[in-house]
Amino acid sequence: MESIRRTRIVELLQREDYGTKVNVKGWVRTKRGSKAVNFIALNDGSTIKNIQIVADVEKFDPEMIKLITTGACLSVNGEMVQSIGSGQNVEIQALEIEVLGTCPADFPMQKKGQSFEYMRQHAHMRLRTNTFGAVFRIRHNMAIAIHQFFHERGFFYFHTPIITASDCEGAGQMFQVTTKNLYDLKKDENGSIIYDDDFFGKTTSLTVSGQLEGELGATSLGQIYTFGPTFRAENSNTPRHLAEFWMIEPEVAFIDLDDLMDLEEDFIKYCVKWALDNCQDDLEFLNKMIDKGLIERLKAVVNTDFVRLTYTEAVKILEEAIAGGHKFEFPVYWGCDFASEHERYLVEEHFNKPVILTDYPKDIKAFYMKMNEDGKTVQGTDVLFPQIGEIIGGSVREENYDKLMARIEEMNIPMKDMWWYLDTRKFGTCPHGGFGLGFERLILFVTGMQNIRDVIPFPRTPKTADF
Ligand code: 4AD
Ligand code: MG
C-alpha cells in the first residue's frame, strides 16, 4: 500500500481540494451498498462525524471486502471527491484498503441502541460509540475551559497531594492507604493497630478534597485552583456519586461571600458557554439523541442571573410549598440538611433556574466555614442546578484562630496532623474563601447524560472497579 501521511477526519471534512490523494484511518461504523459499490462510514474519534468511503467492489479482493464489518479498523488511501449523498461535502473514493484490525461478530458494540446499563458492563468498548465519543470530547473541552478561565484571571494551578493524613471534610469517608500486611497486623495492648512501621509511619488515606492544602496556596500566592482526582468512600449508589471523581477547587485570599458567589456564577457560565462555542457538533448530536432540551438549557444558564438565597429563606419557601399541598418524603424544618427532593423543588419548580444557597446552619456544614454574627449560621454556599442538584460547595473560611479552634473542639475534629493548617491562622492570617466544583456533575449538566457513571471513562462506585 502506498505510504501517505494520515489526515484526521475532522480536518478532511473541512477541505475542498477535491482530487487530492489522502489516507484516513479509523473504525467502521456501518457498511452498506450493493454488490457493485460499498459505502463505508468511517470514524476516527476526531469528530462525531464520519467520512464516507466509496469502494467499487470489483477493484478489491473479495476476501478483504468481507472483513470490512462494523467495528473493524481500516487504513484507506483514496481520492477526495465532492459528495452529494453522504451528508458531508467530501467523501473518499477508495484506491487501496488495508484492514488493520478485523472485528468478529461478538463485538459488544455491534448492535445500535444498547442500554447505558449494558454499555457500562462493556465500558472499555463503549468508548467506540458515538455517544461516548461526544461525551469525552466535551469532557476534554471542559478541562481546557477550566484551565483557561483561571489562567485568564491570574489564578495559579496548584497541585495538592493525593495521599494525605487529614480528613478535610471531617466526614470519615476515606480510603486508607497502607503497605502493611493485612494478614499480620501488629497491635498494641488495647488491640489498636500500630502504624509506626507503615510506609508513612502513620495512617494515611486518599484525599477527599485538596482544600486544606489549597488554603496554604491561596494565603501565599493569592489565588490558586486545584484540579485533580478526589476519593470518597461514601456508600452512595446514586446517579450523582462516584467513589473516584475529579474536583476543581479555587481558593482566594481577601474574598468575601458576595465575590465568592460571583466567581462561582462566572465560572460555570464560562464553562457552559465554552461548550456552546466549541462543542457544537457533539452537543447537536446529544441534543438529538439523548436530551431534546439540552442546548436550550445550556443557553438559558448562560443568559440568566442565578438566584441567591439564604438557607433560612429557602426553608420558608419549602414550608409554604408544604402548606400549599406539596408532599416531600423528608421533613423540612430549620436546621435540617436538604434532601435532593428539596433542592430540586427550589431549582426546578419554584425558581426554574440555578440557585446559590448561603448561610447554612453551622451544624450541617464543615468545621472550616466562617461563622456569621448570629452564632448559628455559617458563610457556606452551595450552587444548585436543574437536573443535577448540588454542583458546587464552598465557603468563606474561618480565619480567626480562636474561633476555628473552638469549632474544631466542638465538632471533635481529629487535629493531630493538622498543626500545619492551623499555622495559616497563626502567622499572618487573612480572610479567604473558595469552593469545589464536581467535574463530573458539570459534565452531566453539559452533556444531558443522566448517570454520572456515563461521563467518566472508567467509573469507580461501590462494588465496581472493573477496567
Ligand atoms: O461539597 P463538597 O464536599 O465540598 C468540598 O469538598 C470542599 N472542600 C470544597 C471547597 O470548598 N474547596 O464537594 C464539592 C463538590 C460537590 O458540590 C459535588 O459537585 C462534588 O464535589 N462531589 C461529588 N461528585 C461526585 N461524586 C461524589 N461522591 C461527590 N462528592 C462531592
Ligand atoms: Mg457539599
Side-chain angles (χ1 to χ4, degrees):
M1 189 157 157
E2 188 186 348
S3 157
I4 304 175
R5 202 169 153 172
R6 175 172 86 99
T7 308
R8 292 186 320 139
I9 291 171
V10 68
E11 288 159 32
L12 270 186
L13 293 175
Q14 314 274 334
R15 281 169 47 176
E16 290 178 349
D17 51 331
Y18 308 118
T20 310
K21 242 167 134 189
V22 294
N23 171 268
V24 287
K25 293 182 173 68
W27 294 271
V28 176
R29 284 286 197 259
T30 55
K31 183 174 85 165
R32 58 188 181 81
S34 61
K35 281 210 174 96
V37 200
N38 277 186
F39 298 100
I40 304 156
L42 203 67
N43 188 283
D44 67 359
S46 63
T47 159
I48 188 86
K49 292 178 176 160
N50 304 324
I51 189 122
Q52 173 156 285
I53 311 291
V54 183
D56 296 331
V57 176
E58 57 165 28
K59 288 193 206 148
F60 299 94
D61 173 5
E63 290 308 308
M64 189 278 293
I65 290 281
K66 270 192 224 153
L67 298 177
I68 303 177
T69 58
T70 296
C73 184
L74 308 184
S75 174
V76 180
N77 284 345
E79 198 171 290
M80 306 242 304
V81 186
Q82 188 157 20
S83 174
I84 323 134
S86 74
Q88 319 289 356
N89 290 331
V90 61
E91 62 189 27
I92 306 287
Q93 182 71 46
L95 299 170
E96 291 175 288
I97 302 178
E98 184 184 348
V99 179
L100 299 176
T102 58
C103 189
D106 58 348
F107 176 45
M109 300 296 130
Q110 181 86 289
K111 287 206 199 88
K112 282 193 167 173
Q114 298 280 16
S115 71
F116 287 126
E117 178 67 43
Y118 168 87
M119 289 207 259
R120 254 168 250 144
Q121 288 157 14
H122 304 274
H124 60 309
M125 284 292 135
R126 68 179 179 167
L127 304 170
R128 299 263 185 95
T129 64
N130 285 330
T131 299
F132 287 93
V135 168
F136 295 124
R137 277 186 298 272
I138 292 174
R139 186 178 164 110
H140 158 80
N141 266 280
M142 289 299 89
I144 299 297
I146 287 162
H147 286 299
Q148 190 66 24
F149 174 87
F150 288 117
H151 183 65
E152 277 173 11
R153 282 159 187 75
F155 285 65
F156 300 108
Y157 183 23
F158 190 69
H159 292 106
T160 51
I162 287 174
I163 300 175
T164 168
S166 52
D167 180 358
C168 170
E169 292 305 298
Q173 296 170 321
M174 305 185 84
F175 289 101
Q176 198 175 335
V177 174
T178 180
T179 53
K180 283 180 85 74
N181 177 356
L182 299 183
Y183 298 99
D184 182 22
L185 290 171
K186 289 202 194 79
K187 296 189 180 164
D188 65 15
E189 57 271 26
N190 304 319
S192 304
I193 299 165
I194 298 168
Y195 282 97
D196 298 359
D197 62 344
D198 200 355
F199 190 91
F200 296 106
K202 58 168 93 169
T203 49
T204 49
S205 306
L206 297 178
T207 186
V208 295
S209 161
Q211 178 194 324
L212 302 186
E213 293 89 354
E215 287 187 44
L216 284 142
T219 54
S220 48
L221 298 166
Q223 43 191 30
I224 61 92
Y225 68 105
T226 71
F227 187 172
T230 309
F231 306 87
R232 294 201 184 170
E234 55 190 331
N235 206 355
S236 312
N237 237 322
T238 81
R240 305 277 172 271
H241 289 87
L242 289 165
E244 176 178 305
F245 62 102
W246 287 65
M247 186 151 52
I248 298 95
E249 295 184 273
E251 191 71 30
V252 188
F254 317 115
I255 199 170
D256 64 16
L257 188 59
D258 285 328
D259 290 342
L260 185 63
M261 287 190 280
D262 287 345
L263 184 68
E264 293 171 343
E265 187 168 339
D266 290 350
F267 175 50
I268 299 194
K269 285 179 170 169
Y270 184 96
C271 293
V272 173
K273 183 160 188 311
W274 185 285
L276 287 166
D277 292 345
N278 295 281
C279 309
Q280 217 178 339
D281 293 342
D282 288 322
L283 286 179
E284 275 166 16
F285 173 82
L286 293 169
N287 195 76
K288 192 165 110 201
M289 305 301 288
I290 305 288
D291 180 345
K292 301 266 184 288
L294 175 63
I295 292 179
E296 273 314 302
R297 208 161 49 243
L298 299 184
K299 286 186 178 157
V301 160
V302 173
N303 294 320
T304 193
D305 289 335
F306 296 6
V307 176
R308 298 183 183 190
L309 198 70
T310 67
Y311 169 92
T312 304
E313 289 165 331
V315 168
K316 268 192 213 124
I317 291 171
L318 295 171
E319 282 172 345
E320 280 163 20
I322 293 169
H326 194 94
K327 297 253 179 300
F328 292 113
E329 191 184 336
F330 297 98
V332 175
Y333 53 92
W334 198 94
C336 76
D337 204 355
F338 291 154
S340 84
E341 56 173 347
H342 304 134
E343 295 177 343
R344 296 188 75 152
Y345 177 83
L346 291 169
V347 176
E348 290 165 24
E349 293 185 46
H350 190 81
F351 291 109
N352 202 21
K353 53 169 142 170
V355 174
I356 311 185
L357 280 184
T358 60
D359 302 286
Y360 284 86
K362 62 178 174 144
D363 293 333
I364 59 171
K365 287 291 177 190
F367 73 94
Y368 50 71
M369 295 195 183
K370 186 178 173 73
M371 187 79 72
N372 279 318
E373 279 176 3
D374 61 12
K376 290 193 303 198
T377 58
V378 290
Q379 293 187 16
T381 94
D382 278 5
V383 181
L384 310 180
F385 252 55
Q387 318 263 328
I388 310 294
E390 182 192 331
I391 193 164
I392 279 182
S395 78
V396 177
R397 318 304 185 189
E398 184 57 75
E399 87 266 23
N400 178 286
Y401 184 92
D402 295 327
K403 287 185 187 166
L404 183 63
M405 273 316 283
R407 284 301 286 154
I408 284 169
E409 274 155 26
E410 216 176 337
M411 293 174 78
N412 279 322
I413 307 289
M415 289 310 286
K416 186 164 65 68
D417 291 304
M418 300 263 271
W419 55 272
W420 53 271
Y421 179 69
L422 292 167
D423 273 1
T424 55
R425 275 59 171 177
K426 217 161 112 186
F427 303 119
T429 191
C430 79
H432 63 286
F435 64 83
L437 169 90
F439 189 49
E440 286 75 18
R441 294 202 185 165
L442 174 70
I443 308 300
L444 273 179
F445 181 73
V446 172
T447 59
M449 299 294 283
Q450 296 296 312
N451 193 313
I452 201 162
R453 294 166 180 78
D454 299 333
V455 295
I456 185 165
F458 305 105
R460 271 40 185 151
T461 53
K463 304 277 179 291
T464 20
D466 303 328
F467 312 111

